[in-house]
Amino acid sequence: MPIPEDVTGDEIDKDVRQELQSLPKGLAEDVAKNLVMVARLIDEDPEGAYGYSRVALRLASRVAAVREAAGFAAYANQKYSEALAEFRAARRMTGNVELWPVMADCERGLGRPEKALDMAGAPEVHKLDKAGQVEMRLVAAGARRDMGQLDAAIVTLQSPELASASVQPWTARLRYAYADALLAAGREDEAREWFAKAVESDKDGSTDASDRLAEMDGVEFVDAFDEDEDETPADGESEAEGEAAAGNDTEGAEKVLDGDVDGDEDDLKA
């Protein structure tokens, strides 16, 4: 697959670069460039990222970082069985437990929420850092919801991290998951409160909490271009023709806007 000229391979994390030192120099550079492309595309173009991950995997399947990248690319494309196999391989190579939550989430994706819950109670969870433990809690709550256990999902999310006033990288997603679980259980007033708290902590827009909150408040967003539809048709123009013209103007404006918008994503399917 083609590599853009601006990609040198030096963009990768220093720990990954150190792993690649076991490879011949030219090969290491090629693998590094493909890993950079995986990281660059995984949010906007998961299929493209998956393609580059397969190239890296073909070149260096014995490098843990490559197996991990291949796992995340497969995960982003909902290829959960393949992702789980790659994560397991990376874990065997490193002995690291940091992939435990996403491995459990793959079990959810494969329709095995009971297995995900078993993993949530495994000794490996105690070896995770705080961020990893929060991710594991999110996965466990999701597994409970998969099984129709809404009240249990709510209780699973109730934790010191949820109650804390300090904002951490995981705070918005944790509050959002809690609000969503409350709403699913019919506890709308509490859900609204926690969606609002999620908005307060979501500085980088990692959730759609603001949209969910607006929806609960009955706020409707109107396209400014729709006002053209209310204009009186010109002389000699039928009402139907006027409506069609207004619709075409709106479509053209939307195409222009779509062309100007770029988006970025991760994570676990909480």
Side-chain angles (χ1 to χ4, degrees), residues 194-214:
W194 282 97
F195 275 128
K197 290 182 177 181
V199 171
E200 292 175 359
S201 56
D202 193 2
K203 305 303 182 184
D204 58 358
S206 62
T207 74
D208 65 346
S210 59
D211 293 338
R212 297 291 299 277
L213 186 61

Side-chain angles (χ1 to χ4, degrees), residues 19-193:
E19 279 193 64
L20 296 180
Q21 288 180 356
S22 61
L23 304 174
K25 184 177 180 180
L27 180 58
E29 290 178 354
D30 289 341
V31 174
K33 290 179 181 179
N34 278 281
L35 292 181
V36 170
M37 292 306 298
V38 173
R40 176 179 289 188
L41 297 176
I42 197 163
D43 291 331
E44 298 178 2
D45 181 12
E47 289 186 9
Y50 180 77
Y52 283 104
S53 76
R54 300 309 294 178
V55 174
L57 193 60
R58 187 173 65 250
L59 295 174
S61 62
R62 296 185 178 182
V63 176
V66 171
R67 302 302 289 265
E68 183 175 330
F72 278 110
Y75 179 85
N77 284 276
Q78 299 184 0
K79 299 177 183 290
Y80 298 118
S81 181
E82 185 177 326
L84 185 57
E86 297 300 342
F87 290 142
R88 284 173 174 168
R91 184 167 179 266
R92 284 195 300 270
M93 293 175 180
T94 65
N96 200 314
V97 299
E98 65 182 13
L99 294 172
W100 196 253
V102 72
M103 289 169 63
D105 207 47
C106 286
E107 296 288 359
R108 283 187 61 210
L110 290 169
R112 302 192 292 246
E114 298 88 351
K115 178 63 177 176
L117 287 177
D118 288 342
M119 294 180 69
E124 285 82 355
V125 175
H126 300 294
K127 300 177 184 179
L128 295 169
D129 60 13
K130 180 61 68 176
Q133 290 178 4
V134 171
E135 291 295 343
M136 194 70 248
R137 188 177 292 277
L138 287 167
V139 173
R144 291 292 186 188
R145 292 190 62 172
D146 294 342
M147 298 167 67
Q149 301 174 0
L150 291 177
D151 290 340
I154 291 171
V155 171
T156 298
L157 293 168
Q158 292 172 345
S159 61
E161 293 80 20
L162 179 67
S164 176
S166 65
V167 175
Q168 302 295 334
W170 59 76
T171 302
R173 291 179 58 239
L174 185 59
R175 291 176 176 178
Y176 182 93
Y178 188 59
D180 194 47
L182 288 168
L183 186 61
R187 296 160 61 174
E188 295 188 6
D189 290 342
E190 294 172 88
R192 190 201 177 285
E193 176 187 350

